[in-house]
């Protein structure tokens, strides 16, 4: 009897064990993967179509992506929202922070960190688990439609600022997605264009920023781009995702594909793509088919599931976040204003700025309607947009009412009548507004009652379409006439003219920059743009931004400028050239793009070839001046420690951004750029007479160039010339240091990094 009772108890316990479901915890991921059926795995690694049943109405409109939930195993779905400058939602206002270019122009990690932190906080409030940012592609060409989302033409400035942003977001308990990996440098034919470049260029320029970002921040996800890289989709490239990203950079997080439809699913999963977004049912079917016919190994699918579970257990959704849907918009509005002023770049000032409150005539449609951000997935709808007229009025300026009325009427007329393709509205968004033609007579009428004129030149761009040369990089005829006439009329009356550039990327400046008295580059400054511009124009904030990219004299001055679709206009931007040959389109720069300039991107080219530019990389003025002293560079083991003292020797409080540039000896290479940015930093707000010593620590390894033949990084023996200062053409202080031996670094350092032994 006793025996019978015991075996019945065993049977019950065993049965319970067999039928009870394990629930996901952060410690039982292998068990959960084992417990998943093949079908569940195939559903799990493909995003769900959350606008359709059974999900319809459950997620906020504007959400970027959602993963497949498996309640029986305690796996919730997680939510991914765009994008770099704030949370993109259609029905809820969120804060629109300044764009990537402005952030980069601050040369200040704390600006990127604080933006990231605030977006992280808003993510918790809005139920977001992963923000699809930072966008960190290199500004290869001034006309890339998404440049405004990205940081710089330099990988060090890009990578270290992206890391700060990631640390800000992830510190708030929310994931990031460093995107778009890699060599995704144009929007034309973005789904299928082939970026063709050599290995050294890939390593030193186009993957370098991701390497630094992974080193300094460990983003929870990396987004594999849409494009081909040397004939293979990045999402399907084992060499890129496994060998470079995971083995070499030591990346341990999840790789999500950019929002693609069905591609070679087993190849994607084998290469290291873990989550296929936005997700289509045919991708799940394909996975099951390929498992069946042996073209997909279960091990690849299990790896993807493991990575996704590792991500999920870190997310707010898994931890039971209950979104309030009430982000702290008030305090973030203040933050957006403060930080916007940190990255505005004063390009010219003959002493006109800072301004006293005065009577001002504001010209240009964007003086009354600021371009706060660009189009596409990065487009955020803030609760309020501060325009420049509003900002100046609040700062005590009295503005010409006739002009205000005229421009406002024009703006609403043009907004109603602008012709753009409705089908791609969400992506292409707000089109560029043609400038209003203003007669010289009208300008003359305004001069009597005003003390100065302000002209705003605006440029907007976005996802799925690149900018073009004519009437975009080059100014429109109406803009040129406006500049000439306003400067002429106001100068004849002894009055000043200030130009504000409200731009998504460089415009031509060389031909007209002599005309106005002052030029402020305000970029796409976010929702508080008008107030922040007013703060800088009046000296409430001293501008301390420095250009994160070169403004060339002519578009074609840059190496490789001809290898870009600089005048390609399409009526169907997103899928414009999926099959260029079928649509009778040119193939070069659309089906493929040759990066013939190699590593000579931006200032690396202009400085090495001593070519003149309109405004160099790192350029920017201040209302005060700074002196550099006590420059020193020491080699300490496997680190370079560089210090310099910066003193405010002017009469206004200000911050100074500076770079640490290095010219390396050639070693085994035939050529190296004449200088490369290796670190950067910014002082705090220095009062007149006050000094601060900046210290830059750079691993020796980061001075290496990539030897493609030997597939290794190499530092050369010999004397290295270094200089301090942000402007690449204007060393403020110099120093040299020596490396006593050459060194080669193996590409795979994932293990060293994990063991904390990285050199
Ligand atoms: C963009 C990504 C974005 C994704 C989700 C894609 O079209 O390239 O940057 O994160 O959409 O919205």
């Amino acid at each position: 009897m006793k025996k019978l009772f015991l075996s019945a108890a065993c049977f019950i316990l065993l049965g319970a064990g067999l039928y009870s479901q394990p629930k996901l915890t952060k410690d039982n991921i292998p068990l959960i993967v084992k417990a998943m059926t093949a079908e569940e795995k195939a559903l799990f690694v493909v995003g769900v179509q959350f606008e359709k049943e059974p999900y319809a109405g459950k997620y906020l409109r504007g959400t970027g992506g959602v993963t497949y939930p498996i309640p029986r195993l305690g796996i919730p779905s997680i939510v991914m929202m765009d994008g770099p400058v704030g949370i993109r939602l259609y029905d809820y206002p969120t804060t629109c922070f300044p764009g990537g270019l402005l952030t980069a122009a601050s040369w200040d990690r704390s600006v990127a960190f604080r933006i990231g932190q605030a977006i992280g906080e808003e993510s918790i409030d809005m139920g977001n688990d992963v923000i699809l940012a930072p966008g960190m592609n290199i500004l290869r060409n001034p006309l890339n439609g998404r440049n405004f989302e990205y940081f710089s033409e330099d990988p060090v400035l890009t990578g270290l600022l992206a890391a700060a942003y990631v640390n800000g977001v992830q510190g708030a308990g929310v994931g990031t997605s460093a995107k778009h990996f890699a060599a995704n440098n144009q929007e034309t034919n973005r789904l299928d264009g082939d970026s063709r470049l050599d290995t050294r260029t890939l390593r030193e320029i186009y993957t370098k920023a991701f390497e630094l970002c992974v080193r300094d921040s460990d983003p929870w996800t990396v987004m594999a781009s849409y494009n081909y890289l040397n004939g293979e989709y990045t999402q399907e490239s084992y060499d890129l995702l496994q060998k470079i990203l995971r083995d070499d950079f030591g990346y341990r997080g999840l790789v999500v594909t950019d929002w693609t439809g069905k591609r070679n699913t087993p190849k994607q999963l084998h290469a290291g793509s873990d989550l296929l977004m936005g997700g289509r049912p045919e991708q799940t079917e394909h996975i099951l088919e390929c498992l069946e016919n042996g073209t997909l190994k279960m091990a690849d699918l299990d790896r993807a599931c493991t990575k996704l579970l590792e991500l999920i257990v870190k997310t707010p959704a898994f931890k039971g976040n209950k979104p309030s849907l009430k982000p702290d918009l008030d305090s973030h509005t203040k933050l957006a204003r403060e930080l916007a002023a940190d990255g505005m770049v004063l390009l010219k000032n003959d002493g006109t700025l800072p301004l006293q409150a005065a009577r001002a005539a504001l010209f240009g449609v964007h003086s009354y309607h600021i371009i706060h951000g660009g189009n596409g997935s990065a487009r955020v709808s803030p609760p309020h947009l501060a325009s420049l007229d509003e900002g100046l009025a609040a700062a005590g300026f009295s503005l010409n009412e006739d002009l205000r009325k005229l421009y406002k009427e024009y703006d609403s007329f043009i907004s109603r009548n602008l012709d753009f393709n409705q089908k791609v509205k969400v992506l292409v968004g707000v089109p560029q507004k043609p400038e209003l033609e203003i007669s010289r007579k009208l300008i003359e009428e305004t001069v009597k009652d005003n003390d100065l004129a302000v002209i705003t030149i605006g440029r907007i761009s976005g996802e799925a379409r690149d900018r073009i040369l004519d009437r975009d990089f080059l100014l429109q005829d109406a803009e040129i006439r406006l500049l000439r006439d306003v400067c002429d009329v106001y100068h004849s009356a002894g009055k000043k003219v200030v130009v504000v550039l409200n731009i998504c990327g460089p415009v031509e400046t060389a031909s007209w920059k002599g005309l106005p008295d002052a030029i402020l580059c305000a970029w796409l400054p976010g929702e508080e743009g008008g107030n922040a511009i007013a703060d800088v124009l009046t000296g409430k904030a001293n501008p301390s931004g420095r250009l994160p990219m070169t403004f060339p004299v002519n578009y074609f001055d840059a190496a490789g400028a001809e290898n870009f679709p600089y005048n390609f206009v399409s009526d169907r931007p997103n899928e414009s050239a999926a099959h260029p040959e079928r649509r009778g389109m040119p193939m070069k720069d659309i089906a493929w793009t040759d990066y013939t300039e190699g590593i000579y991107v931006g200032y690396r080219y202009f400085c090495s070839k001593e070519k003149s530019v309109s405004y160099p990389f790192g350029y920017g003025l201040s209302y005060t001046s700074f002196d550099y002293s006590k420059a020193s560079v020491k080699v300490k083991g496997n680190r370079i420690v560089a210090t310099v003292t910066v003193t405010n020797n002017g009469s206004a409080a200000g911050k100074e951004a500076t770079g640490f540039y290095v010219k390396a000896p050639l070693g085994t290479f035939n050529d190296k750029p004449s200088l490369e940015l290796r670190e950067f930093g910014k002082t705090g707000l220095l009062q007149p007479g006050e000094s601060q010593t900046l210290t830059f620590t750079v691993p020796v390894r980061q001075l290496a160039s990539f030897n493609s033949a030997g597939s290794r990084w190499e530092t050369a023996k010999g004397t290295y010339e270094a200089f301090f200062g942000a402007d690449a053409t204007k060393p403020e202080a110099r120093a040299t240091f020596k490396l006593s031996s050459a060194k080669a670094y193996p590409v795979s350092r994932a293990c060293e990094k994990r063991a904390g032994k990285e050199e």
Side-chain angles (χ1 to χ4, degrees):
M1 182 67 192
K2 201 170 168 195
K3 243 181 172 179
L4 193 68
F5 175 76
L6 274 178
S7 53
C10 283
F11 182 78
I12 291 164
L13 283 175
L14 196 72
L18 276 180
Y19 291 104
S20 80
Q21 311 282 356
K23 297 283 180 211
L24 177 66
T25 71
K26 69 180 179 19
D27 302 316
N28 71 352
I29 290 173
L31 180 71
I32 296 292
V33 176
K34 272 205 193 98
M36 290 165 90
T37 63
E39 199 190 347
E40 281 172 335
K41 290 177 190 174
L43 284 160
F44 188 49
V45 298
V46 175
V48 297
Q49 296 193 303
F50 61 92
E51 287 103 345
K52 298 190 177 159
E53 290 304 338
Y55 303 101
K58 291 199 176 137
Y59 295 94
L60 303 183
R61 284 190 341 114
T63 292
V66 172
T67 64
Y68 181 78
I70 310 180
R72 79 173 182 94
L73 298 173
I75 305 174
S77 58
I78 60 165
V79 168
M80 299 181 160
M81 293 181 184
D82 284 294
V85 299
I87 298 175
R88 188 270 314 261
L89 287 172
Y90 300 151
D91 305 321
Y92 287 84
T94 51
T95 308
C96 178
F97 289 94
L101 285 182
L102 189 149
T103 306
S106 74
W107 288 50
D108 186 346
R109 286 165 167 91
S110 77
V111 169
F113 180 88
R114 292 169 73 196
I115 291 177
Q117 190 177 43
I119 293 175
E121 287 164 8
E122 290 197 16
S123 290
I124 299 282
D125 294 326
M126 302 313 292
N128 180 30
D129 297 296
V130 176
I131 186 86
L132 299 169
M136 49 187 297
N137 292 98
I138 294 296
L139 273 63
R140 171 177 177 257
N141 185 291
L143 303 181
N144 179 4
R146 293 184 86 171
N147 276 348
F148 72 95
E149 289 184 58
Y150 303 148
F151 294 103
S152 170
E153 68 189 22
D154 181 81
V156 169
L157 194 58
T158 300
L160 300 182
L161 288 170
Y165 178 102
V166 169
N167 286 329
V169 176
Q170 293 187 177
V174 172
T176 52
S177 196
K179 70 189 188 184
H180 309 85
F181 191 63
N184 182 192
N185 307 100
Q186 67 187 53
E187 287 301 291
T188 307
N189 195 22
R190 65 186 187 142
L191 301 180
D192 294 294
D194 187 15
S195 303
R196 296 183 180 171
L197 51 148
D198 62 73
T199 308
R200 181 178 177 193
T201 304
L202 179 69
R203 291 299 196 125
E204 291 187 20
I205 306 292
Y206 296 100
T207 58
K208 188 64 169 182
F210 290 91
E211 178 184 349
L212 295 171
C213 179
V214 167
R215 185 194 74 184
D216 286 5
S217 68
D218 230 348
W220 292 2
T221 84
V222 165
M223 189 186 293
S225 53
Y226 282 132
N227 54 294
Y228 285 97
L229 171 62
N230 294 326
E232 192 173 38
Y233 278 124
T234 58
Q235 304 172 355
E236 297 177 4
S237 170
Y238 187 85
D239 281 352
L240 185 71
L241 302 184
Q242 183 61 43
K243 290 197 186 154
I244 296 184
L245 181 65
R246 289 196 158 116
D247 295 345
D248 185 11
F249 300 171
Y251 180 63
R252 283 165 293 173
L254 170 134
V255 174
V256 53
T257 65
D258 200 347
W259 270 230
T260 335
K262 183 178 156 204
R263 284 184 171 174
N264 186 335
T265 318
K267 201 169 175 214
Q268 284 173 310
L269 288 165
H270 179 66
S273 292
D274 303 304
L275 174 62
L276 310 181
M277 279 297 194
R280 305 238 175 104
E282 59 266 29
Q283 290 172 292
T284 296
E285 283 155 28
H286 198 209
I287 292 174
L288 290 170
E289 256 168 59
C290 293
L291 277 178
E292 184 88 23
N293 66 26
T295 48
L296 172 65
K297 296 205 174 54
M298 189 57 95
D300 287 333
L301 187 56
D302 283 352
R303 186 224 57 247
C305 291
T306 304
K307 290 284 166 203
L308 183 49
L309 290 170
E310 285 170 358
L311 169 68
I312 288 174
V313 294
K314 294 191 273 194
T315 56
F318 184 73
K319 293 178 179 165
N321 180 37
K322 299 263 173 298
S324 64
L325 302 183
K326 289 194 184 104
D328 185 355
L329 297 176
D330 289 345
S331 75
H332 292 165
T333 297
K334 289 194 192 95
L335 186 66
R337 177 172 181 168
E338 178 197 331
L339 298 182
D342 275 324
M344 293 190 183
V345 182
L346 185 57
L347 294 177
K348 177 174 182 182
N349 187 15
D350 69 350
T352 300
L353 302 181
L355 299 171
Q356 302 289 339
R359 297 170 305 162
L362 257 58
F363 295 93
V365 64
H366 295 293
S367 289
Y368 301 88
H369 188 110
I370 195 148
I371 305 173
H372 64 295
N375 291 321
S377 53
R379 187 157 191 87
V380 170
S381 310
H384 173 73
L385 277 183
S387 57
L388 182 55
D389 62 326
E390 188 182 321
L392 287 175
F397 284 74
S398 77
L399 304 177
N400 183 293
E401 271 311 314
D402 294 342
L403 281 177
R404 190 196 326 238
K405 199 159 166 275
L406 180 70
Y407 276 110
K408 291 249 173 191
E409 271 167 18
Y410 172 70
D411 190 31
S412 52
F413 169 79
I414 203 86
S415 303
R416 267 182 278 117
N417 290 287
L418 266 180
D419 172 37
F420 58 92
N421 187 337
Q422 289 296 330
K423 266 196 285 180
V424 288
K425 185 173 168 202
V426 172
L427 282 178
V428 177
V430 183
Q432 180 69 45
K433 290 176 183 165
E435 192 48 80
L436 175 62
E437 293 276 359
I438 298 271
S439 69
R440 193 177 167 100
K441 190 163 164 288
L442 178 60
I443 297 168
E444 283 164 353
E445 277 166 26
T446 67
V447 78
K448 296 185 269 357
D449 301 329
N450 287 289
D451 306 312
L452 76 141
V454 177
I455 304 172
T456 304
I457 307 275
R459 287 292 179 276
I460 191 162
S461 67
E463 198 168 329
R465 179 181 275 172
D466 289 308
R467 297 173 60 205
I468 54 169
L469 191 51
D470 294 332
R471 282 168 286 126
D472 192 343
F473 178 76
L474 299 173
L475 265 45
Q476 302 163 16
D477 291 346
E479 290 168 333
I480 291 283
R481 270 195 293 276
L482 184 67
L483 278 165
R484 289 213 181 111
D485 289 348
V486 172
C487 289
D488 197 22
V489 170
Y490 275 72
H491 287 164
S492 305
K495 296 178 179 178
K496 302 286 189 182
V497 180
V498 177
V499 170
V500 172
L501 296 177
N502 177 198
I503 51 178
C504 56
V507 290
E508 189 277 326
T509 48
S511 69
W512 58 266
K513 67 182 181 184
L515 298 175
D517 305 283
I519 307 174
L520 177 70
C521 179
W523 312 110
L524 304 188
E527 65 177 59
E528 277 295 290
N531 286 326
I533 296 170
D535 290 343
V536 172
L537 294 181
T538 57
K540 187 170 167 196
N542 189 346
S544 58
R546 298 294 192 130
L547 290 181
M549 92 288 281
T550 310
F551 278 37
V553 174
N554 297 301
Y555 169 78
F556 289 107
D557 288 351
E562 72 285 2
N563 295 328
F564 189 89
Y566 53 84
N567 259 350
F568 179 76
V569 185
S570 165
D571 53 335
R572 294 165 60 205
N574 203 24
E575 71 274 54
S576 61
H579 299 286
E581 73 287 6
R582 284 190 218 155
R583 303 190 66 213
M585 289 176 182
M587 300 288 278
K588 178 184 165 309
D589 306 326
I590 295 174
W592 72 82
T593 301
D594 290 318
Y595 289 32
T596 49
E597 69 286 0
I599 57 170
Y600 289 96
V601 176
Y603 74 87
R604 281 172 171 71
Y605 173 72
F606 289 106
C607 292
S608 302
K609 304 291 172 218
E610 294 181 5
K611 262 198 112 117
S612 45
V613 297
S614 186
Y615 292 110
F617 178 81
Y619 180 85
L621 304 171
S622 167
Y623 297 149
T624 188
S625 55
F626 297 91
D627 179 52
Y628 284 65
S629 60
K630 298 189 211 148
S632 129
V633 185
K634 296 211 166 66
V635 183
K636 294 192 174 164
N638 54 21
R639 298 262 181 278
I640 305 289
V641 180
T643 53
V644 72
T645 300
V646 178
T647 305
N648 182 348
N649 64 4
S651 53
K655 297 180 195 170
E656 170 77 336
T658 192
F660 173 59
Y661 290 93
V662 177
K663 175 180 189 192
L666 285 178
T668 63
F669 289 79
N670 293 331
D671 68 319
K672 285 185 185 175
S674 63
L675 77 169
E676 292 184 87
L677 186 73
R678 296 304 190 190
E679 250 296 354
F680 62 91
K682 200 167 192 176
T683 67
L685 186 71
L686 297 180
Q687 297 302 323
E690 199 182 344
S691 299
Q692 184 178 337
T693 297
L694 294 169
T695 302
F696 304 114
T697 305
V698 182
V700 172
R701 179 188 183 111
Q702 291 304 334
L703 303 176
S705 301
F706 193 79
N707 179 331
S708 311
S711 198
R712 57 177 180 256
W713 290 94
E714 288 178 6
T715 45
K717 172 183 166 180
T719 303
Y720 287 69
E721 294 166 39
F723 83 75
F724 298 88
D727 184 337
T729 62
K730 196 167 162 261
E732 298 284 357
R734 293 177 186 275
T736 57
F737 61 97
K738 276 197 177 125
L739 293 185
S740 53
S741 57
K743 192 155 181 195
Y745 299 83
V747 278
S748 180
R749 65 190 160 101
C751 308
E752 287 170 64
K753 190 182 173 216
R754 275 189 216 122
K757 285 192 205 133
E758 191 201 1
E759 287 207 17

